[in-house]
């Protein structure tokens, strides 16, 4: 597995065109791999996330194979000064142990499945409120291999730092995604399950920039 970081140049027209559609960005990410390396494997799958601040636009990719982002550098980056940074992800995965605490960031598509009638197919709807989106994550952490310890009192140490609804065209249909970006502190409970979470993602819409959970050392208080 590999972890890649690439900084986009938001001043370029091609960058703005790419960022306007998760479907276009998905295509650009997958173009970084030969066709044979685009499908999920037992080791993991291609996951990506876009982090945007007033000063930076960063693309993170976790993938079973090393990507080639030359096309993105030429069209949306700073080809004269920088390219991208890819590092082995295995050393981080291998050090996971029960009881470890990490700061985390996750952009996910918190949804619920609804069946309108008994004989109808289920349909997925996005959770819209902060409470619903927070409860969605807290309700699945056990099966993801971690817990979220309390911050103050009994409140879990997690907050939603960004919320969005994205609409885009995909092959003649309109896709709507509800996005929530979570930040907080987690504690590893089941290292094997947690490693799978890091390499296979969380929730749905993984092809559109959702599901990639990244870690950082907990800062001392």
């Amino acid at each position: 597995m590999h972890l890649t970081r690439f900084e986009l140049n938001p001043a370029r027209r091609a960058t703005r065109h790419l960022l306007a559609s998760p479907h276009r960005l998905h295509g650009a990410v997958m173009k970084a791999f030969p066709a044979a390396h685009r499908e999920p494997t037992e080791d993991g799958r291609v996951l990506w996330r876009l982090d945007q601040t007033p000063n930076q636009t960063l693309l993170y990719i976790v993938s079973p194979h090393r990507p080639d982002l030359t096309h993105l550098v030429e069209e949306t980056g700073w080809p004269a000064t920088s390219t991208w940074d890819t590092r082995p992800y295995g050393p981080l995965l291998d050090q996971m142990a029960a009881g470890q605490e990490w700061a985390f960031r996750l952009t996910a598509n918190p949804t619920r499945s609804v069946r309108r009638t008994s004989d109808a197919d289920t349909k997925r709807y996005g959770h819209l409120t902060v409470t619903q989106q927070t409860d969605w994550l807290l309700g699945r952490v056990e099966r993801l291999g971690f817990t979220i310890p309390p911050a103050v009192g009994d409140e879990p140490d997690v907050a939603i730092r960004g919320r969005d609804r994205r609409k885009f065209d995909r092959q003649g249909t309109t896709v709507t995604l509800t996005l929530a970006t979570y930040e907080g502190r987690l504690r590893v409970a089941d290292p094997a399950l947690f490693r799978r979470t890091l390499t296979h993602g969380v929730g749905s819409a993984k092809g559109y920039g959702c599901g990639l959970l990244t870690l950082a050392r907990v800062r001392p208080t």
Side-chain angles (χ1 to χ4, degrees), residues 138-160:
L138 294 176
R140 64 187 53 226
V141 294
E142 183 177 345
R143 75 189 90 155
L144 297 173
F146 64 91
T147 61
I148 297 182
V152 178
D154 294 327
E155 291 297 317
D157 193 356
V158 61
I160 294 179

Side-chain angles (χ1 to χ4, degrees), residues 6-26 28 48 50-53 55-59 69-79 82 166:
F6 168 65
E7 183 174 359
L8 292 90
N9 182 348
R12 300 185 67 175
R13 180 179 299 177
T15 303
R16 296 193 296 270
H17 178 73
L18 195 63
L19 299 184
S21 169
H23 185 57
R24 285 196 290 267
L25 190 47
H26 163 75
W48 61 270
L50 192 69
D51 287 356
Q52 293 179 277
T53 70
N55 299 319
Q56 278 188 313
T57 301
L58 297 173
L59 175 66
L69 302 185
T70 302
H71 63 295
L72 282 176
V73 174
E74 293 174 348
E75 298 170 5
T76 66
W78 282 270
S82 63
R166 302 294 308 274

Side-chain angles (χ1 to χ4, degrees), residues 201-215:
V202 178
S204 59
K206 296 183 182 74
Y208 297 117
C210 298
L212 173 56
L213 188 151
T214 53
L215 304 175

